[in-house]
Amino acid sequence: MNVQGRTGSPGDAEENRQQEEFRSFQRTVEIISGKWKGVLLYQLISGTKRFNEIRRLCPGITQRMLSMQLRELERDGLVRREVFPQVPQRVEYSLTAWGRGLEPALLSIKVWGEGYREGRAQSETALQLEDTAVRSSSGTANIPE
């Protein structure tokens, strides 16, 4: 209610709804942002994995970065870390219910990425063919760039 005791206009309600949706989306992006978090979540879709197994599946990630990213995903409730009391210590990671909730989005991103990569490759090929045709017609086909 406003100062005069009346409720806001329907436009205010719509604006509040849009702001709330934006905040939800922004928070989600913050939680899964980073070079490796999406990749780690994607790798865990197929099931529980041990630390070194995840590391092998993600070439290029350092042990420190993997540990940090998994810790953040655990803190945010997307990944479960289970430590087994044995020597040497065994630690397994899996998706929580909240992490599983991201599965459709992650798989959609994967499909989009495949299409984007193929589309870009086709565009690059078309641009190269067009460039070759322009050079040929202008008589500069053999001039190096």
Side-chain angles (χ1 to χ4, degrees):
M1 292 190 149
N2 65 19
V3 180
Q4 298 168 342
R6 292 177 282 183
T7 59
S9 69
D12 291 343
E14 176 63 19
E15 184 177 328
N16 288 340
R17 186 188 63 75
Q18 288 176 349
Q19 288 176 356
E20 186 59 35
E21 286 178 0
F22 173 76
R23 283 191 293 271
S24 295
F25 182 80
Q26 186 176 28
R27 179 66 180 137
T28 302
V29 170
E30 288 170 4
I31 290 169
I32 63 172
S33 68
K35 182 175 180 180
W36 295 103
K37 286 183 181 178
V39 173
L40 297 174
L41 291 167
Y42 177 78
Q43 292 297 345
L44 289 172
I45 286 173
S46 61
T48 301
K49 307 233 179 336
R50 293 176 70 174
F51 185 88
N52 283 328
E53 184 180 1
I54 297 170
R55 193 164 173 213
R56 280 191 299 273
L57 291 168
C58 302
I61 192 170
T62 64
Q63 185 168 334
R64 181 176 180 271
M65 180 58 70
L66 176 57
S67 181
M68 281 180 13
Q69 298 284 275
L70 286 169
R71 220 175 293 127
E72 289 176 18
L73 290 167
E74 180 185 12
R75 180 199 65 211
D76 291 329
L78 301 178
V79 168
R80 177 181 305 106
R81 179 179 188 262
E82 187 172 0
V83 180
F84 295 88
Q86 63 186 51
V87 178
Q89 189 178 47
R90 187 176 94 196
V91 180
E92 292 182 346
Y93 296 88
S94 59
L95 293 177
T96 63
W98 284 108
R100 284 261 163 234
L102 286 168
E103 185 174 344
L106 294 167
L107 294 174
S108 291
I109 289 170
K110 176 186 163 279
V111 169
W112 181 88
E114 291 167 347
Y116 180 79
R117 184 185 66 234
E118 291 169 9
R120 293 290 297 175
Q122 290 171 357
S123 294
E124 288 295 319
T125 301
L127 286 173
Q128 289 171 353
L129 290 172
E130 184 179 309
D131 186 47
T132 302
V134 168
R135 287 174 169 210
S136 295
S137 67
S138 66
T140 59
N142 294 325
I143 298 174
E145 292 182 17

